[in-house]
Amino acid sequence: MKKKLIVLIFCGFCLVAFQIHNTIVFKEPLKWPKANYDFLKNPLSAQKIELGRALFYEPMLSRNNTISCASCHSQYTAFTHVDHDLSHGIDDRIGTRNSPALMNLAWHKVFMWDGAVNHLDVQALAPISHPDEMDEKIENVIIKLQKTKIYPNLFKNAFGDSLITGENTLKAISQFMLTLVSANSKYDSVMRKQTTFTLQEKNGYSLFKKNCSSCHKEPLFTNLEFENNGLPLDKDLKDVGRMKVTKNSKDSIKFKVPTLRNIEFSYPYMHDGRFKRLSDVLKHYTEKVQQGPSLSKQLLNPIVLTSNEKVDLIAFLLTLTDKEFIFNPKFSYPKKIFSTTPQE
Amino acid sequence: MIVSFLSIPVAYSQSEAVIAINFIPKFENSFLILNDSIYSKKSGDSIQFESLKFYISTIELLDNDKVIYQEKNSYHLVDVSQSRSLSLSLKTGSKIKFTKIKFNLGIDSILNVSGAMGGDLDPTKGMYWAWQSGYINFKLEGKSKKCNTRNHEFHFHLGGYASPYSALQTISLNVIDFEKINITLDLEKMTHEINLSKQNKIMSPGFEAVLLSKKVGQIFSIPQP
């Protein structure tokens, strides 16, 4: 009996050790701020990340099984929807905003252009249920997933239980999104003193620090705050941004400051995708900022840039392109999962 | 083998004292029956109920304003269409005497910003707002001819955790029986002041949700014998 107990305790130890071994520790890039996400409540593991990746590319999240997260968040365009000012979802229905580029989400506190979502884990619920995006219910999603051949196994491997729950589905999607870290652009190499800027990029960086970095704060290239950047209200969309959530008029037409990382790929720009080119964006900031009571105090004094300076600034912005991120095979469509065990 | 190992401590534990809490939804003196029954408001309007779900959380027992028991992980979804969910049991360990029960109607702000959770808090329970994060504390749906809406439906989804529109209500009731606490909630008290022709839909946090939540906080009572 005693022997049995010792064996049992030993087995228990192995199990715990295995669990610890299995946990992936999230590491912030050198000199970056601490991530905001509470990893203790959802410890990363290879199996959960892989499950989340499958779910990210899974069209069963939508009512008619046609739209996945990746439909509007394509890796090759920095996980956003290019070529469309307003993103479109199920049945070609058009939404009211440009899908945000997904990266470095572990540092964010609230999500969406207006901050209506308060935690990464519950972010996916918004597009799943939105009638113009996936038009589905999370209740149905888990029923559909449970009926497949692959998902009960993937959930068993990830969470130790083949019974699929809303909680585990959402936590797995979070895990994949948390791995989408972009921190290896030319800018990052320069900061690590592994390479140097060209003269033009260097000049652009000085201009950036003088004119842009208070809102597009390094190293995330966003201060994660809500600002009115002087865009006139679109008369058709009438999108009041943050005010829709807080119901406070001081938040009128404020939107979450987007990151500038991988901006080369994430066009068109602004919450409604109204600018196609970076030059249009700079033209807005130098010539067209609309005054108003909620205008960002950073924009009260006009930004003045010569045409040469604009070229230099854009040269700097292009150093924020992270090819390793854009082409990382770990983030792409999980062919292996979807092909080795065919779905029903 | 693992099962037998885990069950050892249970064998040594003593039988626990349990306090039963039952929620009894009513409309005035009638027991509430979803879907079929038609009730009459004092104003003369008829009203039917199709769904009633709410969260009860942070249950405490007090003896003369001193907290003597706090339930751990205290959150429960009460869904009138699932009769089992109307009864809760508190495992207090030993028999205790108390004068009051206190609980929250709804989910507090900390849990509201804690991401995806399981059990009764799983977002698949239909009590979570997708477009703007947060739990629905109290959900009442039904029909009344007074409602000039599709199928004469009314929808009251009350919630909101962020200031200044926090809808959470703390309810404190005097207790008579130490083993069985029967708590009545009388929907007549909630609906009698609502003019359903004007107000038949609340589906987001805000001033209206707070105002009606306060009213809902007052429909709970422990009837005197």
Side-chain angles (χ1 to χ4, degrees), chain B residues 94-163:
Chain B
S94 54
K95 277 199 172 185
I96 49 174
K97 283 191 172 183
F98 49 95
T99 55
K100 252 185 208 171
I101 180 168
K102 199 169 156 185
F103 56 87
N104 286 337
L105 175 64
I107 299 297
D108 69 23
S109 60
I110 294 168
L111 282 182
N112 260 296
V113 295
S114 297
M117 287 172 287
D120 278 1
L121 295 174
D122 195 294
T124 54
K125 300 287 177 186
M127 292 292 276
Y128 197 86
W129 272 311
W131 60 275
Q132 181 176 347
S133 307
Y135 283 96
I136 298 168
N137 293 335
F138 180 94
K139 193 183 221 180
L140 179 69
E141 296 176 337
K143 287 180 186 174
S144 168
K145 286 268 153 60
K146 265 271 172 161
C147 301
N148 189 18
T149 54
R150 189 170 162 262
N151 301 327
H152 304 290
E153 287 170 0
F154 62 83
H155 301 263
F156 296 113
H157 298 183
L158 307 180
Y161 64 91
S163 170

Side-chain angles (χ1 to χ4, degrees), chain B:
Chain B
M1 212 150 81
I2 288 173
V3 171
S4 66
F5 182 62
L6 289 177
S7 65
I8 291 167
V10 177
Y12 286 99
S13 76
Q14 293 178 341
S15 61
E16 290 188 324
V18 172
I19 296 166
I21 302 175
N22 300 307
F23 289 96
I24 305 163
K26 285 186 156 186
F27 192 90
E28 284 193 287
N29 296 319
S30 315
F31 291 104
L32 187 82
I33 298 165
L34 294 180
N35 300 317
D36 300 330
S37 293
I38 300 172
Y39 303 92
S40 311
K41 289 175 68 179
K42 285 185 181 124
S43 58
D45 311 327
S46 66
I47 190 166
Q48 273 170 280
F49 301 97
E50 292 182 337
S51 175
L52 172 58
K53 292 160 94 170
F54 53 90
Y55 278 111
I56 295 295
S57 67
T58 326
I59 301 175
E60 292 179 343
L61 301 176
L62 296 90
D63 188 20
N64 292 319
D65 293 333
K66 193 182 154 213
V67 177
I68 54 165
Y69 171 80
Q70 277 178 308
E71 191 189 24
K72 278 182 192 150
N73 296 321
S74 184
Y75 42 82
H76 307 271
L77 177 59
V78 179
D79 178 349
V80 175
S81 73
Q82 311 283 324
S83 54
R84 285 172 70 182
S85 75
L86 291 165
S87 301
L88 315 177
S89 53
L90 304 180
K91 293 177 183 73
T92 53
S94 54
K95 277 199 172 185
I96 49 174
K97 283 191 172 183
F98 49 95
T99 55
K100 252 185 208 171
I101 180 168
K102 199 169 156 185
F103 56 87
N104 286 337
L105 175 64
I107 299 297
D108 69 23
S109 60
I110 294 168
L111 282 182
N112 260 296
V113 295
S114 297
M117 287 172 287
D120 278 1
L121 295 174
D122 195 294
T124 54
K125 300 287 177 186
M127 292 292 276
Y128 197 86
W129 272 311
W131 60 275
Q132 181 176 347
S133 307
Y135 283 96
I136 298 168
N137 293 335
F138 180 94
K139 193 183 221 180
L140 179 69
E141 296 176 337
K143 287 180 186 174
S144 168
K145 286 268 153 60
K146 265 271 172 161
C147 301
N148 189 18
T149 54
R150 189 170 162 262
N151 301 327
H152 304 290
E153 287 170 0
F154 62 83
H155 301 263
F156 296 113
H157 298 183
L158 307 180
Y161 64 91
S163 170
Y165 302 118
S166 167
L168 187 79
Q169 301 298 313
T170 300
I171 295 164
S172 182
L173 301 168
N174 291 325
V175 174
I176 307 142
D177 188 330
F178 298 135
E179 277 164 15
K180 201 165 86 183
I181 305 173
N182 288 338
I183 300 173
T184 298
L185 55 151
D186 182 357
L187 291 183
E188 194 276 334
K189 285 182 186 159
M190 171 187 170
T191 52
H192 84 278
E193 278 178 42
I194 302 176
N195 182 348
L196 287 168
S197 63
K198 283 182 182 152
Q199 189 180 39
N200 44 49
K201 195 171 101 174
I202 300 177
M203 311 247 270
S204 62
F207 180 73
E208 275 191 310
V210 173
L211 213 65
L212 191 55
S213 294
K214 282 181 180 163
K215 204 171 281 174
V216 175
Q218 289 161 7
I219 71 172
F220 291 81
S221 66
I222 296 178
Q224 302 295 317

Side-chain angles (χ1 to χ4, degrees), chain A residues 227-229 231 233 239-241 243 251-255 294:
Chain A
E227 304 282 358
N228 165 4
N229 65 345
L231 293 172
L233 186 77
D239 190 346
V240 295
M243 185 175 137
D251 291 325
S252 177
I253 56 171
K254 284 187 183 177
F255 293 88
S294 65

Side-chain angles (χ1 to χ4, degrees), chain A residues 94-108:
Chain A
I94 296 170
T96 60
R97 289 176 184 159
N98 185 263
S99 63
L102 307 182
M103 70 197 82
N104 304 334
L105 298 170
W107 285 267
H108 291 229

Side-chain angles (χ1 to χ4, degrees), chain A residues 5 8 116-119 121-122 125-126 129 138-139 165-167 170-171 245 247, chain B residues 1 5 112-118 122-124 126 128 130-133 161 205:
Chain A
L5 202 69
L8 207 67
V117 171
N118 68 22
H119 195 290
D121 291 357
V122 292
L125 291 171
S129 66
I138 184 74
E139 296 91 305
T165 65
E167 180 189 19
L170 294 169
K171 282 188 165 165
V245 177
K247 297 183 171 72
Chain B
M1 212 150 81
F5 182 62
N112 260 296
V113 295
S114 297
M117 287 172 287
D122 195 294
T124 54
Y128 197 86
W131 60 275
Q132 181 176 347
S133 307
Y161 64 91

